Amino acid sequence: MHVAIVGAGLGGLAAAVGIRLAGHQVTILEQAAELGEIGAGIQIPPNSSRILKRWGLMDIVEAHSVRPRDFILRSYRNGNVLSKQNLVPFAEERYGAPYLHIHRADFHKVMVQHARNLGIEILLGSGVSKIDFEKPSIHLQGGTEFLADLIVGADGLKSVCREALLGHADPPRLTGDLAYRILVKREDMMKHEDLVELAENPAINYWMGPDAHVVCYLLKGGGLYNIVLICPDNLPEMVNTAKADLQEMRDLFDKWDPRLQTLLGIVQETSKWRLQNSEEMHSWSHPSHKFTLIGDSAHATLPYLAQGAAQAVEDGAVLGALFAKMKRPSQLPDVLHIYEFLRKARTTRVVKGSTALRDIFHMHDGPKQIERDRQLTDCEPFEHYPNRWADPVFQKWLFGYDAFKEVDDAWDLYLTGKFPGTEGRFRANI
């Protein structure tokens, strides 16, 4: 089969790699004139690194990555540690795959190169104007019509493919939050005695405070420190990114941990990014069984669980693994049904869980905040524990997900004729 993927982001590349490894022809259509990712740090949790390991990419990804030793939740007032979840050696010992930090651009380059090495064609400057779901075909903005056997929409938060499937405009939803995204040099941090521990200890540090939280971790082999400040959205209407005033940023956190104030004092430039997500769709696939969505085009999320890219990679791995199981094109309707069955409920839980984490992180001082902090400091992790990455039930569900085993189990059930909602195309005569 020939699969056309709209969008060369991490999700589109993951789907392309997975489907190509299954033996099918893949073409990626990307609207940008040149490839590249904006942004800064990204987290690769075990549920995602397990997939990269299966694809033979761990060595090259690790060469660009940092392994954080711990998740650390801190009080905004003084930086006191409220909760710590070990990652090294815990992640590999428990889940067989590491937790990594990487610059988004480095991760993207690795995936692009791997795609090209596999013979995947990436057509740049290929903006989509219309999709014919029945043929199926993609009408490009220059007038060209591109034919394929399946179209996969992977064009992100502001998805043309999503709107085409819905049949109406569906702009991203405002969440009420924005992010300051910042990179500082480790060498600049080392000039300040109170920042040396942060610069030398590879960890994910979270400060939790009223209406805001801060996330920091090392990148680029420890040479850069990635800082994300989450706070209420004050960008003008219709403006989603903008250069930010450094003094305004510092004033927002002037009552926070003195170490954090020192850190923000060495920041030389920053930008604000409006945080948006999308509402859950009834279905990701067209009734023609020749089109589906993956990644942010299907389930854009707030970044608070650090799972957005990981869920897109899972989507691509599951779709690719199902293509490897498929024996003939007539099974495509059942493949798309099983794909959505396996992925939709999980991604919905991640989207809702990310939004719910804001309520945990952004508590105002008071009885609920005091009780939250008591549970974090006094209790062994339990189900619904405020540190979601330490919650033994949620952590296993999140990090223990094996995309390939999920497909193996689903396909075995399908071949018995007991997979709900399929068309019975496992039979040779259909």
Side-chain angles (χ1 to χ4, degrees):
M1 294 186 70
H2 184 193
V3 179
I5 296 175
V6 179
L10 292 171
L13 289 164
V17 167
I19 294 169
R20 179 63 183 146
L21 287 171
H24 299 273
Q25 182 184 354
V26 181
T27 303
I28 300 176
L29 305 174
E30 168 57 46
Q31 67 172 347
E34 58 184 42
L35 289 174
E37 275 280 350
I38 57 174
I42 192 170
Q43 303 187 41
I44 304 179
N47 47 303
S48 180
S49 63
R50 180 178 297 108
I51 295 166
L52 303 179
K53 192 174 182 179
R54 176 75 168 259
W55 288 342
L57 293 174
M58 276 307 301
D59 287 347
I60 188 166
V61 169
E62 280 257 45
H64 296 281
S65 301
V66 172
R67 288 196 184 201
R69 294 173 188 157
D70 302 285
F71 272 109
I72 302 174
L73 301 188
R74 299 178 180 273
S75 166
Y76 81 96
R77 297 182 201 82
N78 48 27
N80 285 352
V81 175
L82 299 173
S83 176
K84 184 182 289 189
Q85 168 60 53
N86 179 255
L87 291 172
V88 177
F90 177 82
E92 279 209 291
E93 288 181 351
R94 179 65 59 88
Y95 298 111
Y99 200 110
L100 304 173
H101 292 149
I102 191 170
H103 196 288
R104 180 180 285 270
D106 291 335
F107 190 14
H108 190 257
K109 285 176 186 175
V110 168
M111 293 297 292
V112 167
Q113 189 58 55
H114 191 55
R116 285 179 165 153
N117 290 345
L118 292 171
I120 295 165
E121 186 177 23
I122 303 175
L123 301 180
L124 302 177
S126 300
V128 174
S129 62
K130 179 185 174 184
I131 295 174
D132 184 327
F133 294 105
E134 298 297 335
K135 275 188 177 179
S137 69
I138 301 165
H139 294 261
L140 302 179
Q141 289 172 359
T144 304
E145 183 179 19
F146 191 92
L147 294 163
D149 298 306
L150 173 69
I151 298 169
V152 178
D155 52 340
L157 176 68
K158 300 173 183 177
S159 172
V160 173
C161 293
R162 177 188 175 98
E163 292 190 336
L165 178 61
L166 290 170
H168 59 76
D170 188 49
R173 300 313 198 258
L174 300 178
T175 65
D177 286 351
L178 64 75
Y180 289 88
R181 291 180 174 149
I182 302 160
L183 289 173
V184 299
K185 294 179 180 178
R186 178 179 179 273
E187 63 190 58
D188 292 339
M189 295 174 66
M190 295 297 290
K191 298 172 186 175
H192 300 268
E193 186 177 350
D194 56 345
L195 299 182
V196 170
E197 180 194 356
L198 296 176
E200 290 187 337
N201 177 29
I204 313 170
N205 284 285
Y206 287 79
W207 285 259
M208 304 182 294
D211 296 323
H213 73 276
V214 176
V215 188
C216 299
Y217 50 83
L218 288 163
L219 288 175
K220 293 280 190 181
L224 292 175
Y225 203 59
N226 187 70
I227 306 166
V228 182
L229 313 174
I230 307 294
C231 57
D233 182 359
N234 65 356
L235 283 166
E237 188 176 359
M238 305 305 292
V239 175
N240 292 323
T241 61
K243 281 286 185 183
D245 179 77
L246 290 176
Q247 193 56 51
E248 178 191 66
M249 173 198 72
R250 292 171 183 141
D251 289 346
L252 286 168
F253 297 91
D254 64 357
K255 294 180 174 59
W256 288 48
D257 180 3
R259 280 198 301 177
L260 189 59
Q261 294 184 54
T262 302
L263 182 61
L264 297 183
I266 65 173
V267 173
Q268 297 180 3
E269 63 176 0
T270 183
S271 296
K272 298 180 188 180
W273 300 65
R274 173 167 280 144
L275 296 180
Q276 299 170 294
N277 62 7
S278 57
E279 290 190 355
E280 184 175 6
M281 303 173 69
H282 174 69
S283 175
W284 300 345
S285 301
H286 191 270
S288 67
H289 309 302
K290 298 173 184 175
F291 173 92
T292 195
L293 295 170
I294 69 166
D296 281 356
S297 61
H299 48 78
T301 180
L302 283 168
Y304 303 158
L305 276 173
Q307 281 283 330
Q311 292 305 304
V313 171
E314 284 184 8
D315 287 348
V318 166
L319 193 56
L322 284 167
F323 264 74
K325 299 286 188 183
M326 187 169 60
K327 300 300 183 187
R328 50 195 171 275
S330 63
Q331 291 179 327
L332 183 58
D334 285 349
V335 162
L336 295 184
H337 174 79
I338 296 169
Y339 157 69
E340 190 167 325
F341 187 96
L342 292 179
R343 298 299 305 150
K344 198 164 183 293
R346 177 170 168 83
T347 58
T348 295
R349 186 175 176 187
V350 168
V351 171
K352 290 181 177 179
S354 295
T355 301
L357 197 54
R358 173 171 56 189
D359 296 333
I360 296 173
F361 282 167
H362 293 188
M363 286 183 183
H364 285 239
D365 292 345
K368 287 189 176 183
Q369 166 265 318
I370 292 169
E371 176 59 13
R372 178 201 66 188
D373 293 357
R374 185 200 66 78
Q375 290 181 3
L376 287 170
T377 55
D378 294 354
C379 300
E380 288 295 314
F382 53 87
E383 188 172 6
H384 306 301
Y385 188 63
N387 182 346
R388 305 301 290 130
W389 299 282
D391 172 342
V393 177
F394 185 72
Q395 179 199 86
K396 182 178 180 181
W397 176 84
L398 192 63
F399 292 165
Y401 184 87
D402 185 333
F404 303 104
K405 186 178 187 304
E406 291 290 322
V407 170
D408 287 344
D409 292 346
W411 199 258
D412 287 346
L413 183 63
Y414 172 62
L415 292 180
T416 69
K418 297 178 181 178
F419 201 98
T422 55
E423 297 182 5
R425 292 171 182 265
F426 62 92
R427 295 192 291 272
N429 62 335
I430 296 181

